Amino acid sequence: MKELSSLQIERLKYQPKLPSSLAGGINNLTLLEGAKTHSVKDEEQIQELFKNTYGKPVVTFKTSLNKNVCEQRNIGVILSGGQAPGGHNVIAGLYDALKQANPLNKLFGFLGGPSGIIDGNYIEFTDEKINAYRNTGGFDIIGSGRTKLETEEQFQKALQVCKKLNISGIVIIGGDDSNTNAALLAEWFVKNNTGINVIGCPKTIDGDLKNEQIEISFGFDTATKTYAELIGNILRDANSAKKYWHFIKLMGRSATHVGLEVALQTQPNITLISEEVEQRKMSLKQIVDYIADIIAKRADMGKNFGIALIPEGLIEFIPEIKSMISNLNDLLAVLESDTSFQNADDNQKFAIIKSKLNSQDGAVYDSLPVMIKKQLLMDRDPHGNVQVSKIETEKLLIEMVNTKLNEMKKAGTYKGKFSSQSHFFGYEGRCAFPSNFDADYCYSLGFNAFALIKFGLTGYLSSVKNLTAPAEDWVAGGIPLTMMMNMEKRHGEYKPVIKKALVELDGPVFKVLEQNREKWAFEDKYIFPGSIQYFGPSSVCDITTETLKLENSAALTSV
Ligand code: FBP
């Protein structure tokens, strides 16, 4: 019986590339300190909450001729939040760095996400275990979870587990919420003189954990290439059959980086960008009118088919719905302990919500189809986020566009035939085999995370930049987590969290969409990217996303 696919066998042999500063050896590094930093917003509150870890400098590494020996150390690692391609390579890079520094060093993996460190569920990594997961997708090596770390009791338990295993460094591989956990844990460990360092690694397919130092979160490259392949296939199907409008919801909880990147790679007819909807204060009705107008114009050209990309988080960016959701979140936090609400049936719940929201929010809630009303009442995740992956926005839009087109038909302004298909692409891309870029980037992030721990840094995010250059020219270092934080309302209370990086509407990536979308709407300039290429010319196999290329070349021209 076959145990591994041929690609799996080949990928296990792939040797990820490291930036030359790290390739010189983990014990041959010098640390360079930059200027002190401050938080993106709410400086006073963040400084007050992170008295011990606030304002540290950005750091970078360079190769040194002096060898610095590493005392024996035990390190723990946690995979946190949604899966993203390359997570296993972060662990492989961390493991290789730590063993290179001192073969007696040990790496422990906490099972099932942050809860693993609280409950003391762990494994010790061995060569055999690590080697079986090199360059593979998924987080199944130790599993993941979304537990929020914030209480004194959780921190005490984590400390006891670290003491038992003699752990002096923790690496948390996660997105904005997970790295918020990392920042809180780092601060608590310093405040309590534990001597345990905490380093984060920027993970999320959503691409919303980024700034000047963090050019991209890992997983975005592979996930967008996977979705682009699927969407390219659908574009070709639509263009062949010429009978369906495909409405495709694309993952990305808040920001539309995934949708934008995939649009640049495939050039579909309609791409909605949540950030633009919010900036233009578009109502749900205006969005429906915009889509129906393109469908009607294409029908006039004899084209009763097309593709519309819908961002997963759209609903939270439509101003009237955003305001309603924000008040609904507060209301649900109160109703959590109200047994009469919890025991009510759906219709009774809808009526209670409508009566308790203000009249404007109540009317917005009431106007939504039953399916969406129900989905909006589902539990928030442990970090207080609406689980937008469970809200069927693509179906909501299909229903509303269909109604609009029927009205237009009656008025004689639409003469086409609307037949639709809905899709949701998210889970299809989160565990794909990492592209060469993600395999290299993740390995470097993990290797670099150990370098940060070795230099005694804590409350930092592993940073590898200059990513559109060949891997040997990448710049490795770290940025303080507090630099990315601000205060936001979660579960009805203001809390310190890492600020999500949204699509910049005046940035070079959105501009390309803006300049081309009229043409793409009607002229069918579809591109079919095909599957991720691992072997072949470097110009095909080792390139990264359109987003990063446009952002980095814009940054270069503005210098
Ligand atoms: P992270 O922010 O943890 O990386 O997760 C991102 C994401 O994939 C979103 O795109 C999506 O909305 C969400 O996770 C789905 O969560 P779950 O895995 O719990 O269904």
Side-chain angles (χ1 to χ4, degrees), residues 81-82 146 176 203-206 251-253 312 388-389 427 430:
R146 290 196 187 275
D176 50 340
K203 169 238 71 168
T204 175
I205 61 154
D206 294 359
M251 243 188 199
R253 190 207 306 280
E312 186 185 41
V388 281
S389 60
Y427 300 100
R430 295 200 316 182

Side-chain angles (χ1 to χ4, degrees), residues 54-298:
Y54 184 84
K56 301 263 175 70
V58 170
V59 296
T60 47
F61 290 114
K62 91 171 194 210
T63 312
S64 140
L65 292 176
N66 302 330
K67 226 176 164 48
N68 30 57
V69 193
C70 178
E71 303 278 298
Q72 194 277 325
R73 299 191 72 152
N74 292 350
I75 304 296
V77 64
I78 298 171
L79 285 166
S80 181
Q83 283 70 251
H88 290 160
N89 267 28
V90 179
I91 298 182
L94 174 64
Y95 181 83
D96 288 353
L98 146 168
K99 290 288 180 189
Q100 194 187 92
N102 183 337
L104 297 177
N105 286 347
K106 289 183 184 167
L107 181 63
F108 294 96
F110 290 105
L111 302 175
S115 61
I117 194 172
I118 298 167
D119 302 335
N121 291 329
Y122 64 88
I123 55 160
E124 185 184 336
F125 286 106
T126 57
D127 287 355
E128 196 188 358
K129 178 89 178 170
I130 292 284
N131 290 343
Y133 285 88
R134 288 181 192 270
N135 311 306
T136 56
F139 278 8
D140 42 325
I141 192 167
I142 46 173
S144 186
R146 290 196 187 275
T147 303
K148 178 147 181 64
L149 297 179
E150 58 181 346
T151 66
E152 180 70 23
E153 191 195 347
Q154 288 174 319
F155 295 145
Q156 285 289 1
K157 282 187 175 172
L159 176 61
Q160 293 320 313
V161 172
C162 290
K163 277 189 176 159
K164 181 178 137 199
L165 298 172
N166 196 22
I167 282 177
S168 60
I170 303 283
V171 176
I172 298 185
I173 304 169
D176 50 340
D177 290 328
S178 311
N179 277 297
T180 298
N181 278 348
L184 291 166
L185 190 61
E187 175 67 21
W188 192 90
F189 277 156
V190 181
K191 192 171 101 193
N192 291 282
N193 285 319
T194 63
I196 304 170
N197 306 350
V198 183
I199 298 296
C201 278
K203 169 238 71 168
T204 175
I205 61 154
D206 294 359
D208 57 5
L209 182 63
K210 65 174 178 177
N211 56 30
E212 269 172 32
Q213 312 295 329
I214 306 295
E215 294 177 2
I216 192 173
S217 54
F218 80 75
F220 179 76
D221 184 82
T222 311
T224 53
K225 281 174 179 155
T226 307
Y227 303 140
E229 178 195 353
L230 297 176
I231 289 165
N233 296 348
I234 292 183
L235 286 167
R236 202 139 230 175
D237 197 289
N239 204 25
S240 308
K242 304 200 189 294
K243 62 175 181 181
Y244 291 129
W245 264 93
H246 294 266
F247 280 51
I248 306 171
K249 184 172 82 166
L250 267 181
M251 243 188 199
R253 190 207 306 280
S254 274
T256 321
H257 299 292
V258 172
L260 185 53
E261 171 64 27
V262 170
L264 298 196
Q265 288 191 34
T266 59
Q267 306 185 175
N269 305 103
I270 297 175
T271 304
L272 298 181
I273 302 292
S274 304
E275 291 81 346
E276 186 184 23
V277 164
E278 182 169 44
Q279 195 205 45
R280 292 188 173 196
K281 301 192 172 41
M282 285 174 85
S283 63
L284 188 52
K285 182 180 175 314
Q286 284 170 318
I287 296 170
V288 169
D289 289 352
Y290 168 74
I291 299 173
D293 182 55
I294 293 179
I295 293 177
K297 285 188 179 137
R298 282 181 63 85

